[in-house]
Amino acid sequence: MSLDLEEKLRKIRSSPKLQNQQHTAVVLNAVDDTLQEQKSAFTPTAYFAALLSLLGQYISHNGVASKDLANAVVYLLDIVTPHVPASLLCAKFSQILTSLAPAMTHPDAEAPIIRASIGCLESLLVRQTSQAWQLPVNQTSPRGAVAGLLQLAVDRRPKVRKRAHDALVKILHTPMASPALDHPAADMCAEYTLRSLKDVAESTSKPKKHRLHREGQENTPELIHTMQLVKTVATASEGWPSSKIESLCELLLTIAKSSNDYLTMTAFDVFEVIFSGMAANVDESSGKLPRLVDVIEELEPSRNDSQLLPPWIAVLSRAYDVSAQIMPDETLQKLPKVFAKVASFLESSSHNIRISASQCLISLMHNCIPASTILNPSIFDEKTLEKIAKTLTDLLSVKYQSAWMEVFNVISFAFDTLRWRAAPILNPVIKIVGDLRASDTFAGKKEADTLLRRAIHAVGPDVLLEIIPLNLVNPAPRQPGRAWLLPLVRDSAYNTRLRHFRSELVPLSEHMYQRALNHGSAEKTMEIKIFETVINQIWSCFPGYCDLPLDLVEAFDQTFAELISNLLYQQTDLRVPLCRGLQNLVETNNAILSVEGDDDPLAQGRVLKADARKNIEHLGTFAGNILAVLFNVYSQTLPQHRGPVLTCINAFLSITPEHELVETLSRVTIMLEESIKEAPKKEKKDASGKSDKNKMPIASHTLMDLLVVLSTHLPASSLPSLFKLATDILTTPTSDPALRKKAYKFIPRTASSTTLAPLLSTYSSTLQQLMISSAPYVLAQIRRDRLLALKDIINRLPDNDLWFIAAILPEAVLAAKEVNEGAREAGFDVLVTMGERMSKGGVVDTAKVPGLGTSAPHEHGDAEMGIDCEAQGKEVSASVDEYITMLSAGLAGSSPHTIAATITSLSRVLFTFHKSLSQPILTDLLDTIALFLTSSPNREIIRSTLGFVKVAVVSLPHDVMGSRLSVLVPALCKWAKEQKERLKMKVKNILERCIRIWGIEEVDKYTPEEQRKLVGNIRKTRDRQKRRKEAGKGDTQEEGDETDEDIEQAKGRKRFESEFDEAVYGSDEDEVDGSEGNEDDAPKRGNRGRERNAYIHEDSDEPLDLLDRRALGNISTTKPVKTRQPPRQKTKAKMDLDGKLLFDEDDSGSDEEMQTFDDTGNVGDKLNSGDGGEVSLEAGVNAYVSAIRSKDAGTRGQKGKLKFKQKGVGEDEMDVDENEVKVTRKQSNGIGNRGKQARFGNEGKRGGKGSIAKRAQRPGLGAGKMKHGGVGKVKGGKSGKFGRR
């Protein structure tokens, strides 16, 4: 018995949990007992015979005796049958099939029994010989069994259908010892399937009236099942029998025009399966394919059938695709005929037919024209291409005018396919389209421009401009100028002839420039501006002409190089296209040389590697002079425009001979030394001036930039002089900081060179001393470049020079707290690089570390980082554990900044190397950090410590941190109340992760009582998010929605630059504050990442001008809401000294003229009655200033009495006694404000008429206030019931 069968039976014998498995175990144990009693061997044959006898007891033609036991028996038979010898299955085929037949054909048989029976039948049929397959279907034969399988393949139960399909595929894939290509049953399966498909299709397509229509609808699922069977048989047979292809194609094309989209797709899938099978077996399909193609062409539908014609065109396109793979020459021979036939459909009035025809034409050109026809065409190939070009030219006639957009698309693709072979056969097309484009009434100018761009890219601008010239110099009346062609040439010129640019466009540019010069210094007219624009457009075409030109050696000579040099000096506006053109000359030929493998002329644009090598050698002869010109131009260009010039310099340096590079280095170095000496004098002169963006930088900065670019291409012999120059700059205290910054770039640039990078190890000791000696002069703006240089030096440290890591370790640690993000990231990279280098092994000689053991403070901090006191003066083996020990020395620093930087550095190193640390080192590290968390009062240290704890929780094994929860959780909760520096939020995020890992019960057990509320809030938040997530699973996603996993991945990619940042700053839950928040608003917050719409914010007074450059500031992803107007400021009721209400008849009075009084009678401010009665400090100050500066402000008169000016004709003054004001206000508070929350409506209700009546005995504002408290009539005053004035 095979091991596979023994393993399956052993699993069944074990105690199963499901009921059906229990029945299977019972049956198997019974068979085992029977075999043991009979003393039979436990072989697959014995099991098969015993199970087959049991099957007859439970399943017969009379019915199923016990469904559970019958299912168990058939299931075991399915497992055992594949292991039974083939001779027994062939000899006992009739008996076995007779026993299995009731299990598949009985009406009471359920799906599990049928599926297991199909498995047994599959194992039985794949063992039959070719002689057995010759027996007729009406006998008990394999063909009869396959007929039963075909019936089950269209069963209404999906699992039964699936199992029957799988069995048919395996049977038809089983090879037979026969000369026939197909399986003996393939023809029978195809015939049966085709007959069933025809019957079902006819019943489905009956007239749609009454009962017949309902029957047709009922037959649609059966038609779908039959189509799936057709697809299965086609897949298994790797095609379709040749004699049945015609009938199948006719049926499939009829079904393809069905209104049921699924049926149409299935029909296309069947065709795709047939064609794919033929493409996979070229030898076997060469006889079937021609017949299939002929049948498809013969089944051409009516030219006006908009339903059937598009699918027929699609099938035809796929047929010729496969035909081109199997028979490329025969297919190319038939291509003009089928191309013309499909092209004729473009005159159809149906848009769908035109689209299908255009796509078919594109597919025919792409698949049926081989590359050999383009590269080395024979006479027959040229005739074929001419016929296709004639058809394309005819498509531009008037009868195809409605399909011109599709025609332009087809012709554009024809240019892409034919490449340079498109000339001259498609020259008439270029002429016709050019004339159409020049017409003012033509509406398809955009499509015409696209076609002409493709033509320029294929045949070159020289051919196109010969057919449709520019006509810009003295154009004839009937030959209009075509300046619109220049932008097309600029965008599409590639792999063309540079000689054409020299002979045609350069003279045109000179002519236009002379016309502009003739105008003199007078004011520019529109014509002169047009000339200047044309000149710029002409030279904007230069980079395209330099993109892998075919005639570089002939066209680029000394004369042309001098012309380019003069233009670089004189025409500043043309420097960008000129530099890009020169750069393209070098880079495109280098790209050809870098191609691996053999030459591909079609992909390489007819420029072979040998040609590219000649081009590079030719350009190398001009490199020295061109570099000299570019250096001078670079020095004369403003910094913001130097990028293209510097890139061009870098390109030509890559092809400059070695001796010229050395000479260039020498000249630039001498000039740099001289400019450095002259720089202090110039700085004194310019000390008072401000920096100007349009001011040229000093010469030393320019020369240093050139040296940085030059350093990548230098030979090895030049490295000592380069490093000497860097040493002089970096170790001189008075050096310019900008020069130091550029000097540090020498090392990364050298490391990026494939030839110079190995030499850095040779100069490692020199570079180490340079870094140590230049450390005292490092400024903040230089630190990032210095750290990048240190990273490359550390990567190449010898094993005996690892003391350098200890020497510069403090600098890397303190960089972790840099404000500049670039310097901070560079510091982290250096820390990781140190750890990687230490992990490779080596020796740390502590005696070589400068300043170790001295009492002086370290230049990078106040702690001696790197070596323990016990290890001073000794050699220590390098390892990650030793590296952690060196880093931990910074924890003894005296300043919080140093300690915090050390903890942050340890966090980064722990995240990367936690798997390499030994258990004692890890335990000591965690214990030390825990001390800071529990005892340090400094927030800066605590912030770094919390980051370390979060990294430890995320990275370390759960058992390591789980044992420390008793100390960790109380220490974290200690800082849970601290709002400053977001400590509370950091603590909450750590607790969230702890709860997710160890459970809320474990965390809550160690949480102090006063912080249980925080843990409860985390639990509620998690439960709420879980409920939302579960609720969201049941909802159908709207268009554009993403899954939660996609949103989380998108957030992670957007928010974090590295895994370490995600571990430190990330949290799976949204950051919420201590309150639970509004649960109704939470779903809105959760959908932030789902849709990012753009909105325009515009003021109500003036609409947004989208042409304004500042308009981008008014476009946001935040939906604008209507600005909520602040409520009008509530003021106290205005009243006079007698308590009467005052109203202004006009609204012109300012707020400053309205005064209120408090309960004590003092002048109050009008801002005192807002919501809640609170007054801001600013409002109080403004009210006070208004009160003392206003026109009607009170002034002190004699005896300290206040004087107020009354509004009126006479502007009489009124003296007021302060004490009297207080008494009056106390008496009149019945109508006044009785509290800070009182409102005007309530005051009226409380006061009522009674209050007014009580005050009626006092004079109103209509009476003037006289001396000694007397009352008199005010001149010119007006009084009313409420003292209105």
Side-chain angles (χ1 to χ4, degrees), residues 940-1204:
E940 184 179 8
I941 296 176
I942 292 300
R943 187 170 64 249
S944 299
T945 305
L946 291 177
F948 180 92
V949 172
K950 191 172 184 180
V951 171
V953 169
V954 172
S955 305
L956 296 181
H958 295 169
D959 55 344
V960 174
M961 296 302 295
S963 60
R964 300 175 179 274
L965 287 181
S966 58
V967 178
L968 180 63
V969 174
L972 289 173
C973 293
K974 173 185 175 183
W975 295 95
K977 294 182 179 180
E978 187 62 55
Q979 295 285 358
K980 291 184 178 181
E981 300 186 8
R982 298 176 60 85
L983 294 183
K984 179 179 180 180
M985 187 60 62
K986 293 178 182 293
V987 170
K988 184 176 180 181
N989 287 338
I990 296 174
L991 290 178
E992 287 174 356
R993 292 184 179 272
C994 293
I995 291 173
R996 191 166 56 255
I997 295 173
W998 292 287
I1000 193 168
E1001 295 81 6
E1002 188 71 16
V1003 175
D1004 190 65
K1005 180 170 61 175
Y1006 302 112
T1007 304
E1009 188 65 31
E1010 60 272 12
Q1011 296 300 331
R1012 294 288 175 88
K1013 184 178 180 181
L1014 176 62
V1015 178
N1017 175 258
I1018 295 174
R1019 178 183 56 80
K1020 292 179 181 179
T1021 303
R1022 289 171 57 83
D1023 294 343
R1024 185 163 58 245
Q1025 292 175 348
K1026 185 177 180 181
R1027 289 195 302 268
R1028 290 184 197 138
K1029 186 175 181 180
E1030 292 176 352
K1033 289 182 180 179
D1035 299 337
T1036 303
Q1037 290 187 345
E1038 298 179 358
E1039 184 179 357
D1041 286 357
E1042 300 174 342
T1043 61
D1044 294 339
E1045 183 179 356
D1046 295 337
I1047 294 173
E1048 290 298 325
Q1049 291 178 356
K1051 286 183 179 179
R1053 289 192 298 268
K1054 182 178 180 181
R1055 291 178 57 190
F1056 306 111
E1057 296 294 336
S1058 63
E1059 295 181 358
F1060 174 72
D1061 291 343
E1062 184 176 0
V1064 175
Y1065 306 112
S1067 175
D1068 287 351
E1069 282 80 11
D1070 293 333
E1071 294 184 355
V1072 295
D1073 53 10
S1075 61
E1076 294 183 17
N1078 189 353
E1079 192 167 349
D1080 296 333
D1081 294 338
K1084 298 179 182 178
R1085 294 192 298 268
N1087 290 333
R1088 289 178 184 173
R1090 301 214 173 189
E1091 187 175 358
R1092 304 295 291 177
N1093 295 326
Y1095 301 94
I1096 296 177
H1097 298 254
E1098 63 178 347
D1099 299 332
S1100 58
D1101 298 336
E1102 183 179 355
L1104 179 64
D1105 183 9
L1106 293 176
L1107 298 180
D1108 190 356
R1109 293 183 178 179
R1110 295 171 295 179
L1112 188 61
N1114 293 63
I1115 300 176
S1116 172
T1117 56
T1118 304
K1119 185 175 182 180
V1121 295
K1122 188 175 181 180
T1123 305
R1124 184 177 179 182
Q1125 297 293 337
R1128 293 191 62 181
Q1129 208 161 10
K1130 299 181 179 66
T1131 59
K1132 290 185 177 181
K1134 294 172 287 296
M1135 59 190 68
D1136 59 6
L1137 295 177
D1138 297 323
K1140 292 184 178 181
L1141 298 177
L1142 299 180
F1143 296 93
D1144 280 345
E1145 293 181 352
D1146 56 350
D1147 295 335
S1148 60
S1150 63
D1151 292 340
E1152 297 172 355
E1153 297 174 352
M1154 304 178 185
Q1155 296 179 1
T1156 58
F1157 301 89
D1158 56 16
D1159 294 339
T1160 61
N1162 294 324
V1163 178
D1165 70 59
K1166 60 186 181 304
L1167 302 174
N1168 196 17
S1169 58
D1171 294 342
E1174 297 182 0
V1175 184
S1176 66
L1177 178 60
E1178 183 179 359
V1181 172
N1182 293 338
Y1184 173 74
V1185 173
S1186 299
I1188 64 175
R1189 293 184 178 180
S1190 64
K1191 178 181 177 181
D1192 299 326
T1195 57
R1196 295 283 180 179
Q1198 296 180 357
K1199 299 181 180 180
K1201 292 185 179 181
L1202 289 173
K1203 289 185 178 182
F1204 295 95

Side-chain angles (χ1 to χ4, degrees), residues 30-44:
V31 172
D32 290 338
D33 295 341
T34 302
L35 294 178
Q36 190 173 5
E37 290 176 0
Q38 296 176 357
K39 298 181 180 180
S40 300
F42 292 89
T43 61

Side-chain angles (χ1 to χ4, degrees), residues 114-287:
I114 296 177
R115 285 189 285 119
S117 302
I118 292 174
C120 298
L121 186 59
E122 173 193 322
S123 302
L124 182 64
L125 290 174
V126 296
R127 304 293 184 88
Q128 302 304 309
T129 61
S130 57
Q131 292 79 9
W133 284 104
Q134 302 302 323
L135 297 176
V137 179
N138 54 6
Q139 296 183 8
T140 306
S141 62
R143 286 178 173 269
V146 171
L149 273 179
L150 291 171
Q151 293 179 0
L152 292 175
V154 292
D155 192 86
R156 58 181 177 82
R157 291 162 290 193
K159 291 185 178 181
V160 174
R161 290 198 308 272
K162 179 66 168 58
R163 189 67 185 88
H165 287 188
D166 295 341
L168 285 171
V169 170
K170 187 171 182 180
I171 292 169
L172 294 178
H173 273 165
T174 302
M176 290 282 104
S178 171
L181 298 177
D182 297 326
H183 192 277
D187 189 62
M188 184 196 72
C189 292
E191 183 178 359
Y192 173 85
T193 307
L194 195 60
R195 184 173 62 251
S196 301
L197 180 63
K198 184 176 181 181
D199 295 340
V200 177
E202 289 177 354
S203 62
T204 306
S205 60
K206 287 181 180 179
K208 300 179 180 180
K209 293 183 179 179
H210 307 294
R211 183 177 61 84
L212 294 178
H213 177 46
R214 291 194 296 270
E215 290 179 358
Q217 289 180 340
E218 292 175 357
N219 289 330
T220 300
E222 186 177 355
L223 178 59
I224 294 175
H225 300 160
T226 309
M227 288 289 293
Q228 289 292 339
L229 178 59
V230 173
K231 184 177 178 181
T232 300
V233 173
T235 303
S237 302
E238 294 180 349
W240 199 261
S242 303
S243 59
K244 310 295 181 183
I245 283 181
E246 184 173 358
S247 302
L248 176 65
C249 293
E250 185 176 0
L251 272 176
L252 291 178
L253 290 173
T254 304
I255 294 172
K257 66 178 182 179
S258 171
S259 58
N260 190 321
D261 295 338
Y262 183 78
L263 287 176
T264 304
M265 292 172 57
T266 307
F268 287 147
D269 290 342
V270 174
F271 276 115
E272 180 63 29
V273 166
I274 294 174
F275 291 135
S276 300
M278 290 182 176
N281 297 280
V282 177
D283 297 335
E284 299 178 3
S285 303
S286 58

Side-chain angles (χ1 to χ4, degrees), residues 441-698:
T441 59
F442 183 62
K445 292 186 177 181
K446 181 179 180 181
E447 290 76 11
D449 286 346
T450 302
L451 189 151
L452 292 176
R453 286 191 182 96
R454 301 282 187 88
I456 293 171
H457 191 272
V459 302
D462 52 341
V463 175
L464 184 132
L465 293 180
E466 183 179 356
I467 300 171
I468 44 175
L470 292 172
N471 293 333
L472 295 180
V473 179
N474 299 324
R478 294 184 180 181
Q479 295 180 356
R482 298 187 180 93
W484 49 268
L485 281 173
L486 289 174
L488 304 184
V489 175
R490 176 197 62 198
D491 298 337
S492 308
Y494 162 77
N495 193 214
T496 183
R497 291 170 178 81
L498 186 59
R499 182 176 60 254
H500 177 262
F501 184 84
R502 288 191 58 184
S503 60
E504 298 294 334
L505 295 186
V506 171
L508 178 61
S509 172
E510 293 174 350
H511 176 78
M512 293 294 176
Y513 184 69
Q514 187 62 42
R515 294 280 297 271
L517 286 180
N518 294 339
H519 186 69
S521 60
E523 184 179 356
K524 293 182 180 180
T525 62
M526 180 59 66
E527 184 180 9
I528 300 303
K529 293 180 180 178
I530 292 175
F531 291 156
E532 293 177 350
T533 302
V534 171
I535 293 172
N536 290 331
Q537 289 183 345
I538 290 173
W539 284 101
S540 67
C541 302
F542 181 64
Y545 276 91
C546 296
D547 194 352
L548 201 63
L550 298 172
D551 56 348
L552 188 148
V553 177
E554 296 81 9
F556 196 90
D557 54 10
Q558 183 66 29
T559 305
F560 191 62
E562 292 176 358
L563 173 64
I564 298 298
S565 301
N566 293 331
L567 289 175
L568 283 170
Y569 280 123
Q570 299 171 5
Q571 301 295 327
T572 57
D573 294 340
L574 302 181
R575 286 178 179 174
V576 172
L578 290 172
C579 290
R580 288 179 179 172
L582 294 174
Q583 177 185 344
N584 285 346
L585 290 175
V586 178
E587 291 183 349
T588 53
N589 285 280
N590 279 334
I592 297 297
L593 293 176
S594 63
V595 174
E596 298 180 358
D598 298 333
D599 286 328
D600 185 358
L602 193 63
Q604 297 172 198
R606 295 171 288 175
V607 179
L608 305 180
K609 292 182 180 179
D611 301 330
R613 192 173 293 106
K614 292 180 182 178
N615 292 339
I616 292 297
E617 293 174 356
H618 179 71
L619 289 174
T621 59
F622 298 94
N625 295 329
I626 291 178
L627 280 176
V629 174
L630 291 174
F631 283 176
N632 294 331
V633 171
Y634 184 83
S635 63
Q636 300 170 8
T637 307
L638 293 173
Q640 59 267 29
H641 303 304
R642 287 180 167 180
V645 183
L646 197 63
T647 308
C648 185
I649 291 174
N650 191 35
F652 269 87
L653 285 173
S654 63
I655 63 171
T656 304
E658 183 176 316
H659 66 278
E660 293 187 9
L661 288 175
V662 176
E663 294 176 1
T664 304
L665 174 64
S666 177
R667 291 197 302 268
V668 175
T669 304
I670 294 173
M671 295 172 62
L672 177 62
E673 293 174 351
E674 294 176 354
S675 62
I676 291 176
K677 295 178 182 178
E678 297 176 359
K681 301 178 182 178
K682 295 183 178 180
E683 290 179 359
K684 291 180 180 179
K685 295 180 180 179
D686 301 338
S688 59
K690 296 181 180 179
S691 60
D692 187 5
K693 183 184 295 187
N694 296 325
K695 182 181 177 181
M696 296 296 297
I698 60 178

Side-chain angles (χ1 to χ4, degrees), residues 917-939:
L917 294 178
S918 62
Q919 191 62 34
I921 291 292
L922 181 60
T923 302
D924 293 343
L925 180 61
L926 295 176
D927 292 340
T928 305
I929 299 299
L931 290 177
F932 284 103
L933 185 62
T934 56
S935 60
S936 177
N938 186 272
R939 290 191 183 91

